[in-house]
Amino acid sequence: MNHRIMRLSFGGIFAVALISGTLAVLFIGATTDSMTSRNKPAVVQAASPSSTSKADGPKMEAQGAGKDNWDRLSSIAPIVSGLMIAAVGGWATLTVSRHQRASETSRTERELTVQRSSIIPPLIPYLGSDKEREKRAALLAIDAMGDPVLAAKLAEIYGGEGSASALSNIAARSSREVAVVAERSLDTLFHSLKVSIVRLIVNDLPTASGFVVAPGRVLTVAHALRAEDRVVLKLYTGEEIDATILARDGDADLALLETARQDLPALTIQASASSEKEIGALFNEDVTCIGYTGSSTEPEVRVGPVTAIGLQLADFPGDPMIETLLHTAGGFSGAPAVNSKGRVIGIVRLARMGGYSYLISADSMLKFLTRHQVTVNEAR
């Protein structure tokens, strides 16, 4: 809105307010005068009919009262007009300010659209690159330009480790609305992993999650079951298969189940991080957890950053754990947490308030599986 239009608008508003105030005063005055006129006969009747001078006295008093009312109204007329002008002026100011903000927002959006149209096309070759770091950087650049939804959709289209890493970053650091879009894209990228995730039905009750680590072998948490429990595994397809408890270690909080199904694909467990560079890489990348909630019919995805490594909780003995902000729900115990390469870096042990989830590390899992002579990470 230009300055000339604003000046004309305020001039018109001022005139309307002044006229409205004056009319309000005239209306009040007319109403008061009418009320005074209605009171005249009563005053005349009360006077003595035999004396003309006495009868004229009340009339003059009534006329004087009417004049006094007009004088009082004339004195408050500027106040009434001022209040009207202030009220209308305030409304006008708010209206103009709202229009200016809307205009500024629209202008900013147009500028961003122009920037995107000029910047995104040069990034397309990087999205199709064989170098996953370049792909990740291009997607995060699009996200930084204020279009995380577009970045998530492009990541889903181009796929790969770089896309998964960028999606994890977007999902963990964006608003919930954007995070849902990114998690759905991650769900698409990691769709092939779902067949390896199982739901534990313990004594006819859904209890926890687990995942296939080798043909006929499923890993889960020990606290979800007892040695005498009857266990059924529910697959992603809805099929249910019987399982037996092959080994259970309460200290490590890990349990190994055996099933007759040998055709279920196993997940790859990340090798132990030994160097500072490998350990630091965990902090530079968000992790994705795939498991079942209490009411879900298929595995759900949760994404969050690693916040601590080698954490020992006083009330949970055993090997140190990995702390994350995965916001897992009930039933996720035993679910695998994977990095952008789809390799398991931990298994969910417990969740606490604030969204913190604690993982048994891949190193602890490998030690447990080695003790029970389970060969993992075989070429498939």
Side-chain angles (χ1 to χ4, degrees):
M1 185 180 292
N2 59 47
H3 294 293
R4 185 184 177 194
I5 295 176
M6 288 180 64
R7 285 196 297 270
L8 291 173
S9 299
F10 277 114
I13 290 167
F14 180 82
V16 169
L18 186 59
I19 294 170
S20 300
T22 303
L23 290 174
V25 171
L26 291 173
F27 176 75
I28 295 171
T31 303
T32 305
D33 188 50
S34 176
M35 293 176 63
T36 303
S37 298
R38 286 198 300 270
N39 291 332
K40 285 180 182 179
V43 176
V44 174
Q45 188 178 3
S48 175
S50 62
S51 175
T52 305
S53 61
K54 290 181 179 179
D56 291 339
K59 292 179 181 179
M60 294 177 65
E61 289 177 4
Q63 291 173 356
K67 185 177 183 302
D68 290 341
N69 287 334
W70 275 107
D71 290 340
R72 284 194 293 270
L73 287 171
S74 297
S75 66
I76 67 171
I79 299 175
V80 174
S81 297
L83 291 174
M84 293 289 291
I85 292 171
V88 177
W91 170 82
T93 301
L94 291 174
T95 301
V96 171
S97 177
R98 185 165 58 249
H99 282 300
Q100 286 179 330
R101 287 196 298 269
S103 177
E104 182 65 23
T105 301
S106 177
R107 184 180 64 83
T108 302
E109 290 178 351
R110 287 196 301 270
E111 291 177 352
L112 286 174
T113 301
V114 172
Q115 290 178 1
R116 292 184 192 120
S117 63
S118 61
I119 293 176
I120 292 178
L123 293 176
I124 297 299
Y126 295 99
L127 295 176
S129 173
D130 294 333
K131 298 179 180 179
E132 297 299 331
R133 288 186 179 181
E134 292 183 355
K135 187 183 298 181
R136 181 179 186 273
L139 291 168
L140 292 180
I142 296 172
D143 173 44
M145 289 167 52
D147 205 337
V149 174
L150 175 61
K153 291 179 179 178
L154 289 172
E156 182 179 336
I157 292 170
Y158 286 95
E161 296 172 11
S163 294
S165 179
L167 281 171
S168 298
N169 187 288
I170 294 170
R173 290 167 173 77
S174 301
S175 66
R176 187 56 197 161
E177 183 179 354
V178 174
V180 168
V181 176
E183 287 176 357
R184 286 174 182 168
S185 296
L186 273 170
D187 184 64
T188 301
L189 290 183
F190 289 133
H191 182 78
S192 60
L193 304 184
K194 288 186 176 182
V195 70
S196 304
I197 315 296
V198 299
R199 185 176 204 170
L200 269 67
I201 310 296
V202 181
N203 299 327
D204 299 324
L205 294 175
T207 303
S209 301
F211 63 99
V212 180
V213 292
R217 300 290 186 271
V218 172
L219 188 66
T220 187
V221 286
H223 71 260
L225 41 79
R226 299 167 298 178
E228 65 274 15
D229 286 336
R230 182 172 61 84
V231 182
V232 173
L233 304 179
K234 191 170 185 177
L235 306 182
Y236 170 60
T237 58
E239 180 185 358
E240 294 184 356
I241 55 176
D242 292 328
T244 56
I245 301 174
L246 194 61
R248 185 176 178 278
D249 188 334
D251 292 333
D253 200 10
L254 291 170
L256 184 64
L257 306 177
E258 182 179 26
T259 175
R261 287 288 298 271
Q262 302 286 314
D263 58 329
L264 298 177
L267 297 184
T268 300
I269 300 177
Q270 177 67 41
S272 175
S274 56
S275 67
E276 292 184 4
K277 182 179 180 181
E278 291 173 328
I279 294 174
L282 285 175
F283 286 102
N284 295 329
E285 177 177 59
D286 298 299
V287 295
T288 301
C289 186
I290 310 172
Y292 288 90
T293 64
S295 58
S296 62
T297 56
E298 61 180 59
E300 296 184 5
V301 171
R302 296 287 189 276
V303 182
V306 172
T307 53
I309 296 176
L311 188 66
Q312 186 72 65
L313 299 180
D315 52 343
F316 279 85
D319 293 339
M321 294 181 289
I322 301 171
E323 182 186 73
T324 67
L325 267 173
L326 282 171
H327 294 274
T328 56
F332 261 80
S333 293
V338 302
N339 59 18
S340 61
K341 298 178 180 180
R343 296 177 181 174
V344 181
I345 66 161
I347 182 173
V348 178
R349 186 180 188 187
L350 72 147
R352 285 188 168 172
M353 293 182 63
Y356 289 99
S357 299
Y358 297 88
L359 313 178
I360 301 171
S361 69
D363 188 46
S364 298
M365 289 188 289
L366 290 171
K367 290 178 181 177
F368 171 79
L369 294 170
T370 299
R371 286 199 303 270
H372 295 285
Q373 301 179 349
V374 178
T375 303
V376 298
N377 301 343
E378 289 185 333
R380 297 189 297 276

